[in-house]
Structure formats: structure tokens, C-alpha cells
Amino acid sequence: MDAVEVTQAVKQRVQELRQLLDKASYAYYVQDAPIMEDAIYDRLYRELQDLEAQYPELVTPDSITQRVGEKPATQFSSVRHNIPLYSLENAFNIQEFAKWQERWRRQVPELNAFEYVAELKIDGSAIALTYERGILVRGTTRGDGIAGEDITQNVRTIRAIPLRLNLENPPTHVEVRGEAFLGLDVFKQINQERQQAGDQLFANPRNAAAGTLRQLDSRIVAKRRLDFFAYTLQIPEKRDAEVALTQWKSLELLQKMGFKVNPNRKRCQSLEDVRDYYDEWNTGRLNLPYMTDGVVVKLNSIPLQEKLGFTQKFPRWAVALKYAAEEAPTRVEKISINVGRTGALTPLAELQPVQLAGTTVQRATLHNIDYVRSLDIRIGDTVIIHKAGEIIPEVVRVLPELRPEGTQAFQMPTCCPVCNQPVVKPVDEAVTRCVNASCPAILKGALVHWASRNALDINGMGEKLMHQLVDKGVVNSVADLYDLTADRLGTLERMGKKLAQKLVDAIAHSKTQPWSRVLYGLGIRHVGSVNAQTLTQKFTTVEQLAWAFPSDIKAVYGIGPEIAHAVYDWFQVPANQTLIDRLKAAGLQLTAQVETPSAESRSVPSPLQGKTFVITGTLPTLKRDEAKALIEKAGGKVTGSISAKTDYLLVGEDAGSKLEKAEALGITQLSEAELLEIVED
Ligand code: IVH
């Protein structure tokens, strides 16, 4: 294979990763004050490992990958483990597990049948326990795997650990390994107490458990209610070899001896069995009273384990199959500003691309300046981004310890980055806005909205085309669309005569759309398509609405003061009045047509015919099934998740991520009152 050339960027990244990992590792192991979560550490570690594998010439003896852990802090006496405490290789999905399986199977090609034991990977701190003639004589932390710290006094306080083995005739020497951890409720309680006392909070139960184990005052440890699951039994003299020839039997024996052994274990005969177990606990773990970050798959046969042995760091016979991180660290390369159709300036973090929950993330919204300030996100920062399922990625926090020197707090620009006109930010609002009605960004947004499905529904007038029309100066207002000719359109890139004519026809067809859609298409703040329908039922001509006072508008059932003011303000702007005049001249419907209902529509009114709804949050009066029944009765359909096909989001109190997604997709939101009004009409 050809040598791969090392670029400057790679060298720099390797350097940077080592610095980050060293810093985090020191904070964790020596100072007992973690600055990084394990999942994140794992990711960075892995990135470094991969780079070093790809460019072996970059490996140095002081790279963090060249050692197993950190030296223990000096307060406790250091003890060498009789048998090293290995850690586990990670697989992050079932494909990686399959590769791991391939690897060990190559070592024993003669083997046909085998069995795994799958266990939950408890997210705590590994400890080793030594029993002599059945009596607990020592407890140690994992340390660097070779030597750990003597925490016997602390271990004695853990009630799940027997002080004397429940055995008739105990062997001289028994080694038990397992995971010390804190239950979620205990963890919560500890953090509450720390908050009241003004102490720094533990980042997660794992750190809390590790910190507790290394408490010098064992009375504090006793109060913390540590828990323990045993998972390995070693009897060097092998007196009991016949009873512990498999991992499964070891676990049973541990249980008999008086240890707590996690009950959620399973024997697996195939990759499919492992996958089922992994999938089952991916959701099942959410209901457990403690944290798990994956499953551990071990070869059941202990003779086979011995045959396969260990690499430098890991057993070859076991692997940690981890659950996908929904959080990942990355770096903010730039903060850019997006200007939306309402003129809102939204800061966006441009990120170093990172894999997260199955997609590559390069950008995350920072919402507004208040959000940026509250987290103090700066260019150059290492940040944690979060993305669960389909949700839009978000920066959840900054790792200030990893901040490069000389950064400055982020400031919103004082001028719109698109039109260069001054922006405004009302003191009581989070949003900074460009208020220049002819700002190209606002205009583009307005045009796209105008042509959208629930507005004028102009087929073929998509975002790209609209942007081109604005950039070329062909269209400066929504009204200009109605002056377009096929010849003029034909001068655009990749625009044939036929297509140009089709577009002109589609634009002409939009003149038949009802007044309610025109009103919605104007994009007045807070006037979604439902409000537009409500308003046009009461104000059947544009003149009526344009002349109405906020009090008149507010008087309409379902229309609040915010909407009323937004509508009133909109009609006061001279440019908007000109727009209305031009639209009227172009022949758009600015008056409600008196509908003469047909015979069938009189007998079966279905106001929501063909509309797709999603419900989120708690509705003020209706239960979810009741709302669903109402929608269905009116001809609509209710689905579970937001997609481009969703027409309406019915929003109640404490709406969650669905609301965010709906906002991002520009889906119309409805309150219960609005729904009731439509249905009752
Ligand atoms: S077996 C020689 N089983 O995961 C292999 N480890 O990432 C010994 N862990 O250091 C480990 N639950 O602290 C094993 N059921 C389980 C586990 C488990 C949690 C931890 C353990 C280990 C780490 C490796």
C-alpha cells in the first residue's frame, strides 16, 4: 500500500486531540474533577486512535493511546492488582460487533458452536475485591489497570458487597470484579444536597460513583449509598474450576456467594441473538433505575477465553457494544448569521463535521444572542452537540477548559449581513431583526412563503428559482411575479421555453386562490393559515381588514392582541399598502367569494379533509384521543411524527421537540381553541 501523506491539518488535529485527552484524563484520574463525559472522551480517543492507525509515523511514546490510564493520586496507597484489570474494546454498532466476532473466530477456525453471555454494561466504576478464606480483605479501584488504590474502607460501606462469602468451604483466594455505581435516585439526591451546600455538581452518576469511591472519609461514602454488581469471578487455585467453567456459571456462583448480579443477562448463540438483546435494552435501559451505556458480550466458555487471551489492553473474548452517543464533541469553526423571511437574524454554529446519531452534523442553530450569551459560545470553542433521533442538532454546552486563548465573546452584527442596513433588537425580545423590507434575504423568504403549498401554492416556483430571480434583480416584490413573462423567465439559467410557460401559467393560476390564502401568503407575523381563515371570515375584503383597528381585529373569536397588533402594524407600512394595490391590479382575490355550497358539501361538511395532524403537549381541555377523534371526524388524519407531509401541529402546554421541528419545517401550528373553531364551523 502506498504511504498516505500526512497533511499539516492531520498533524495539528493529532496534537490537539492529545492535548484535549491529556487534560481530560488528568482532570478525571488525578484531580477527581472531570471536565468531559465518558462518551465524549471515547469519541475523541477513538478519533486519535484512528488517525494514529492511519499515520503510524505520528505515534509518539507519550501519546495517551500508549498507556492504559493515569497514575493514581497519592492520597490512597497504591496496590498492584494480582490479575490486571483490563478494559474492553468498544464496538459502536452491530456491524462493528460482527467484525470483532470475525476477528476472534479467525483465531479458532476449528470452532463451530460457541455461546456468548450478554450483560448490561453498568455505567459506574470498576473495582476489584479480594477475599481470603472467604473474608473481604481488600477493595481496590481500577487505577491504570496494573495498580489501583486501596479503598478497602470505602468498599466495606457498600451493602451489596458481602464482607464474608456465603460458602461452606471457601477457597484461600478469590478475586471478584464488578461495577460500583449509584442509582439514579441517589445520584439526584446527592446533587440536590450539593447544590444546597454550594458544592460543584457531579456531571453524571458515573463520575459521582468514582468520586465517592475515592473519598478519604469513609463515613461520607457510607451515606452515599453506593451499589455494586459483580461480573467476574477468579479463583487462581482453580479449586472450583468444575463449577465455574463458563461465565454463566460464574455469575450464578457469584450470586450464591452473596453478590448482587445483574439479572438482565442472556445467553446468545448467534449474532442475531446479540442484536436482539442490544436492541431490547436500547429502549429497556430507559426504565432502569441505574445507567447503562451499552452491553458487554463475553464468550461463555472460560477455557476458550483462556485460549484467546488478551491484547495489550483488552481481552479478545469480550467486547463492549455501546449505544449510539446522542452527544458528541466538536469545534465551532465559525458563527454565521442566517436572515429569515421575517428578518430574524439567527446565529448558526459552523462545526467541524461530526457523526452523530447516524448523520454528519456540520451546523447547529444557536437560536439567538441570548442563547449564545447564556452558554458563552465562542469561535474556536470545543462544544458538545446533541441530537436525538430526528431532532435538529443543538449546542448543549461549551467545554470552557478547552477554550483556546484570546477568544472573545460573540457579538451580533449591528448591520444585516445580507443588505448591510442597521438591525434592531428590542430590549425585551431575544431576536435581532433586519427591518429593511427590501432586504434580499427577507424578499427571498417572502417569495418562497408566497408560493408555498398552504399559501398561493404556485407549482414549480421553488427556493432555487426564487433566489435566482432576486439575485438577478428580476423580482423585487411578490407583485413582480405577476409581471413575469415566459420570455423574461426564458433568459434564466437552465430554463427552457416550455418550462417558462408552465411557470407563467402556474403564477396566473394562483390568481384564483381565495382571499384567505392571499392573506396567509403575505407572511404577516403570527398570521398562520388558520388565523388567516379566521380573519377572512370576518373581514371579507382587504379594505375591511386594512382599515380595522387592533380592537376590531382582537374582537374576532380566536384572535389575540399580539396577532391584532401585528396585522394592524403591517397595514400601516406604505410599502405594504403599495403591494396590496399592485396585487389587486394584478387580479388576485382580495375579497372572499360568497360560497354557494354544493348539495354534497351541505350534507357532509369536512373542514379538515385530507389534512395531516400531529399532536404535541398537553391540551387545555381535550385528551389526546378526544382531539384525535375530532380531527378524524372532520376528515383529517393524525400521525405520530412531524414530516414534510404534516399540515398542522396541534400544540398544547409543555410541547417538546415536535414543536421545534415543526417550526423548522414551517408547519402551521394550531391551538386547541383554533381547532375547535374550525371543527365547529
Ligand atoms: S467485563 C476483562 N462486564 O466497562 C473485562 N465490564 O469499558 C472486564 N463494565 O472497565 C470487564 N459493566 O468497568 C464487564 N457487565 C460488565 C460490565 C463491565 C460495566 C465496565 C468495566 C470496564 C468497562 C470497560
Side-chain angles (χ1 to χ4, degrees):
M1 205 176 85
D2 285 348
V4 196
E5 206 199 310
V6 187
T7 64
Q8 199 52 38
V10 170
K11 273 191 198 157
Q12 206 180 327
R13 183 63 185 154
V14 165
Q15 277 274 317
E16 197 178 327
L17 285 168
R18 283 185 192 146
Q19 269 167 18
L20 294 185
L21 291 166
D22 282 341
K23 229 170 175 174
S25 163
Y26 181 77
Y28 185 93
Y29 286 106
V30 182
Q31 295 176 312
D32 239 350
I35 56 170
M36 200 186 277
E37 269 150 60
D38 284 51
I40 288 146
Y41 183 93
D42 284 350
R43 297 277 293 242
L44 292 173
Y45 190 91
R46 224 179 163 182
E47 194 190 336
L48 178 59
Q49 237 180 355
D50 289 347
L51 283 174
E52 287 182 347
Q54 204 179 344
Y55 307 101
E57 66 270 44
L58 291 184
V59 181
T60 57
D62 67 347
S63 175
I64 188 142
T65 57
Q66 304 303 300
R67 56 172 159 185
V68 188
E70 278 291 325
K71 288 268 171 300
T74 46
Q75 301 99 311
F76 290 103
S77 62
S78 168
V79 248
R80 215 183 148 78
H81 297 299
N82 297 326
I83 310 162
L85 254 88
Y86 287 89
S87 106
L88 292 171
E89 187 175 348
N90 288 328
F92 287 96
N93 51 51
I94 203 78
Q95 289 79 20
E96 290 191 4
F97 173 81
K99 279 194 197 140
W100 171 82
Q101 173 173 275
E102 278 307 299
R103 252 194 288 136
W104 77 256
R105 292 205 70 179
R106 248 178 273 136
Q107 301 223 339
V108 271
E110 71 282 3
L111 192 74
N112 294 316
F114 63 89
E115 185 171 65
Y116 292 124
V117 176
E119 299 168 23
L120 294 183
K121 182 163 164 17
I122 310 300
D123 205 9
S125 217
I127 56 176
L129 305 170
T130 306
Y131 289 84
E132 272 164 17
R133 303 199 186 281
I135 304 292
L136 174 70
V137 295
R138 188 180 287 150
T140 50
T141 62
R142 178 167 178 277
D144 63 4
I146 305 296
E149 292 165 303
D150 188 332
I151 52 159
T152 312
Q153 284 310 315
N154 289 345
V155 163
R156 283 183 194 284
T157 69
I158 304 174
R159 294 184 185 240
I161 294 177
L163 297 176
R164 177 196 294 269
L165 297 179
N166 181 26
L167 283 180
E168 290 263 304
N169 187 11
T172 21
H173 201 90
V174 173
E175 280 271 323
V176 174
R177 272 95 192 264
E179 201 80 353
F181 65 98
L182 282 166
L184 293 173
D185 53 339
V186 184
F187 166 69
K188 228 164 133 184
Q189 192 197 324
I190 292 173
N191 259 355
Q192 263 164 15
E193 286 166 13
R194 289 175 79 86
Q195 186 157 32
Q196 275 157 18
D199 295 337
Q200 210 187 334
L201 301 190
F202 286 120
N204 53 45
R206 175 193 231 285
N207 290 329
T212 304
L213 282 175
R214 299 178 70 242
Q215 261 287 334
L216 287 168
D217 184 347
S218 56
R219 286 167 305 179
I220 296 180
V221 182
K223 284 198 198 122
R224 293 261 180 92
R225 288 192 282 144
L226 277 166
D227 209 334
F228 180 79
F229 280 128
Y231 52 65
T232 313
L233 172 64
Q234 284 152 320
I235 305 172
E237 65 215 76
K238 299 218 175 204
R239 261 194 29 187
D240 283 14
E242 65 278 9
V243 286
L245 269 178
T246 63
Q247 168 67 5
W248 191 261
K249 282 233 172 96
S250 294
L251 293 175
E252 283 176 344
L253 187 53
L254 281 165
Q255 210 161 353
K256 259 195 231 136
M257 288 176 168
F259 289 95
K260 199 164 151 175
V261 176
N262 194 292
N264 307 310
R265 52 190 187 263
K266 194 182 136 188
R267 277 183 281 200
C268 298
Q269 268 86 21
S270 65
L271 186 86
E272 285 66 40
D273 288 352
V274 171
R275 186 189 9 226
D276 289 348
Y277 179 83
Y278 178 61
D279 289 347
E280 179 192 339
W281 286 103
N282 189 22
T283 45
R285 70 196 168 117
L286 302 174
N287 300 320
L288 292 172
Y290 47 84
M291 292 261 282
T292 55
D293 58 340
V295 304
V296 181
V297 186
K298 304 171 183 177
L299 275 164
N300 193 18
S301 155
I302 287 174
L304 184 54
Q305 288 184 6
E306 281 166 1
K307 183 159 184 192
L308 288 168
F310 297 83
T311 68
Q312 277 277 347
K313 285 159 70 175
F314 307 126
R316 291 199 182 85
W317 44 266
V319 70
L321 181 49
K322 295 244 206 157
Y323 289 118
E326 289 176 337
E327 290 194 347
T330 184
R331 216 186 31 221
V332 179
E333 293 185 328
K334 204 176 130 194
I335 296 179
S336 60
I337 304 284
N338 179 58
V339 185
R341 125 181 118 79
T342 60
L345 270 62
T346 309
L348 290 174
E350 309 272 353
L351 306 165
Q352 203 165 54
V354 63
Q355 278 293 316
L356 193 58
T359 56
T360 306
V361 177
Q362 330 207 22
R363 215 175 258 161
T365 177
L366 299 177
H367 305 289
N368 53 54
I369 188 66
D370 290 358
Y371 183 82
V372 179
R373 281 202 193 122
S374 68
L375 295 179
D376 190 18
I377 302 164
R378 303 181 182 197
I379 297 165
D381 269 344
T382 296
V383 293
I384 304 303
I385 54 165
H386 174 95
K387 178 172 170 284
E390 300 177 274
I391 319 287
I392 298 143
E394 252 201 326
V395 171
V396 285
R397 66 188 170 279
V398 170
L399 303 177
E401 290 80 2
L402 307 181
R403 170 171 288 164
E405 273 175 30
T407 62
Q408 270 164 7
F410 176 73
Q411 303 282 348
M412 277 306 254
T414 51
C415 288
C416 169
V418 178
C419 70
N420 229 359
Q421 295 297 302
V423 295
V424 296
K425 180 185 183 282
V427 264
D428 53 344
E429 278 185 40
V431 183
T432 308
R433 260 175 229 286
C434 171
V435 287
N436 168 20
S438 50
C439 171
I442 299 180
L443 182 58
K444 284 175 186 172
L447 285 165
V448 172
H449 176 70
W450 179 262
S452 69
R453 199 156 47 109
N454 289 334
L456 281 294
D457 195 15
I458 309 178
N459 251 328
M461 295 297 280
E463 203 171 296
K464 268 204 186 130
L465 181 58
M466 292 295 199
H467 286 201
Q468 217 186 346
L469 289 169
V470 174
D471 292 339
K472 292 246 152 84
V474 179
V475 168
N476 294 304
S477 143
V478 163
D480 288 349
L481 289 175
Y482 297 90
D483 296 337
L484 284 175
T485 59
D487 284 347
R488 184 71 188 88
L489 277 173
T491 63
L492 297 176
E493 287 157 35
R494 266 171 297 182
M495 177 74 70
K497 259 196 189 148
K498 258 198 178 158
L499 180 56
Q501 190 53 52
K502 241 184 159 172
L503 289 170
V504 170
D505 293 346
I507 295 170
H509 179 73
S510 73
K511 295 180 191 174
T512 64
Q513 295 285 16
W515 159 221
S516 60
R517 280 178 174 253
V518 175
L519 178 59
Y520 169 63
L522 293 173
I524 303 171
R525 278 184 78 196
H526 308 302
V527 181
S529 58
V530 173
N531 283 336
Q533 284 179 33
T534 311
L535 285 167
T536 54
Q537 274 163 19
K538 306 292 167 182
F539 301 95
T540 53
T541 69
V542 70
E543 288 80 9
Q544 285 176 19
L545 189 59
W547 288 103
F549 284 108
S551 55
D552 303 327
I553 305 172
K554 212 164 49 185
V556 177
Y557 181 77
I559 301 294
E562 243 193 339
I563 308 169
H565 279 282
V567 173
Y568 177 81
D569 290 348
W570 193 90
F571 280 103
Q572 301 314 302
V573 179
N576 293 339
Q577 291 165 3
T578 311
L579 174 63
I580 294 291
D581 290 343
R582 288 189 62 198
L583 291 175
K584 208 189 290 178
L588 280 123
Q589 304 289 318
L590 295 160
T591 302
Q593 297 299 306
V594 187
E595 280 166 36
T596 36
S598 66
E600 38 182 317
S601 71
R602 237 179 290 133
S603 57
V604 213
S606 304
L608 300 177
Q609 196 57 53
K611 299 291 180 199
T612 304
F613 278 72
V614 171
I615 308 177
T616 184
T618 314
L619 300 172
T621 64
L622 295 175
K623 294 214 178 70
R624 281 209 181 191
D625 341 342
E626 292 169 343
K628 184 163 181 262
L630 263 179
I631 293 165
E632 285 168 357
K633 208 169 144 218
K637 175 170 98 174
V638 178
T639 63
S641 62
I642 302 269
S643 75
K645 293 207 186 93
T646 310
D647 294 298
Y648 297 112
L649 179 69
L650 181 57
V651 192
E653 281 269 313
D654 296 323
S657 51
K658 284 181 188 161
L659 181 56
E660 268 177 53
K661 193 161 184 208
E663 275 172 355
L665 291 173
I667 288 162
T668 308
Q669 294 163 28
L670 278 189
S671 66
E672 181 189 286
E674 288 172 319
L675 173 74
L676 288 173
E677 205 193 340
I678 302 170
V679 175
E680 278 156 19
D681 274 0

